[in-house]
Amino acid sequence: MRLKEEMSCRNEDEREEFSEQNLNHQPLFFTTPTLEPGFSLQGKPVVVGYALTSKKTKSFLQPKLEDQARIKGIFFVAIDQSKPLSDQGPFDVVMHKLLGKEWRQIIEDYRQTHPEVTVLDPPDAIQHLRNRQFMLQAVADLNLSDSYGKVGVPRQLVIKKDASSIPDAVTKSGLILPLVAKPLIADGSAKSHELSLAFDQNSLQKLEPPLVLQEFVNHGGVLFKVYIVGETIKVVRRFSLPDDVCKRELSKNAGVYHVPRVSCAAASADDANLDPRVAELPPRPLLEKLAKELRNRLGLRLFNLDIIREHGSGDHFYVIDINYFPGYGKMPGYEHIFTDFLLNLVQGKYKKRSC
């Protein structure tokens, strides 16, 4: 108990010193926090350390997020990977999305030695989503079905090597063509987002393992991106592969169709004139239940789900992908949602310390 009190006091002293040293250099991110009644940080900033790629930093730390951070007293600090993490800070929250065993070990060690800091998210939990063989298992195990609808995953097959064996493996598995081919490893790289459609047995041998093959589900050409930030859910529509893409491409030439990235912000379908049966968002209660279950099962607080509705079914949904720390900069209102999320995290920590 005394150790915790000493650690808490030391962190408060360090935080005051940290504020004095840094506010003159980085005034953009700090003002007195505006929080719920009865909660006070005693004029100290909420310090969020981040370890992100340069591309992720640019897309996430947009001016509108920085403005909200300044208003709400959030101070973002880039983590210097050339220095020991424990020598930096002190931090209230650490956000990260970097690859490599060395980094995973660094952040895991930091979690163990700094329990007072909220790390978003545990490296082992993140690693689980980097392999599509296991990515959707939590959804499959959940087998969610209630009065609002049913949520499942497409039937899939993992091929780790030897493309010549794919036709026989598909036949034995009972999967029905066409099949969507996805790289087995989902590491956030451009290659990990490459999709292909295989229309016939011969085209299967043209695919490049390791990969996952998923049955193509007709879904009206619309995909629902479900962003999850803690307990907050935000859903947007994106254009996806149209149901007739298979017939059109097959009529041109048999083989493999390489799919362009169709779920980016530029392909937003929110304002499109769509069939209401296709455009209708999944029921909110269903999504809330799904998100809650997956937060617990995955052990994550920052992720999104790519969901499709089987065309003509009305209430049968499939989760086809899960992404950790997705492109929140494309999510409408993310600057408000994310800063409120960070404040609530810190608020919960302070309340526990004061009990």
Side-chain angles (χ1 to χ4, degrees), residues 1-10:
M1 184 67 179
R2 177 172 296 179
L3 178 61
K4 289 185 178 179
E5 291 175 353
E6 290 176 354
M7 182 179 291
S8 177
C9 291
R10 182 171 65 85

Side-chain angles (χ1 to χ4, degrees), residues 97 99 129-132 184-193:
K97 191 179 182 181
L99 300 176
L129 293 187
R130 299 208 188 280
N131 190 316
R132 287 193 168 98
L184 181 62
I185 302 303
D187 58 9
S189 65
K191 183 174 179 58
S192 71
H193 290 289

Side-chain angles (χ1 to χ4, degrees), residues 13 25 37 84 86 106 118 159 167 228 252 265 275 307 325 341 345:
D13 292 340
H25 300 289
S86 292
I106 289 172
T118 299
I159 305 292
I228 296 167
K252 295 178 183 177
D275 183 335
I307 296 180
F325 206 140
F341 164 68
L345 280 180

Side-chain angles (χ1 to χ4, degrees), residues 125-182:
I126 297 172
Q127 192 65 17
H128 187 78
L129 293 187
R130 299 208 188 280
N131 190 316
R132 287 193 168 98
Q133 181 175 358
F134 311 111
M135 176 190 289
L136 302 180
Q137 192 59 50
V139 182
D141 292 343
L142 181 57
N143 193 26
L144 179 59
S145 181
D146 62 18
S147 59
Y148 293 101
K150 181 178 181 180
V151 180
V153 300
R155 292 200 301 166
Q156 68 177 36
L157 175 66
V158 175
I159 305 292
K160 294 186 177 180
K161 56 184 179 179
D162 189 9
S164 64
S165 69
I166 298 178
D168 285 342
V170 168
T171 300
K172 291 177 181 178
S173 70
L175 264 62
I176 300 174
L177 293 163
L179 298 176
V180 180
K182 302 179 179 182

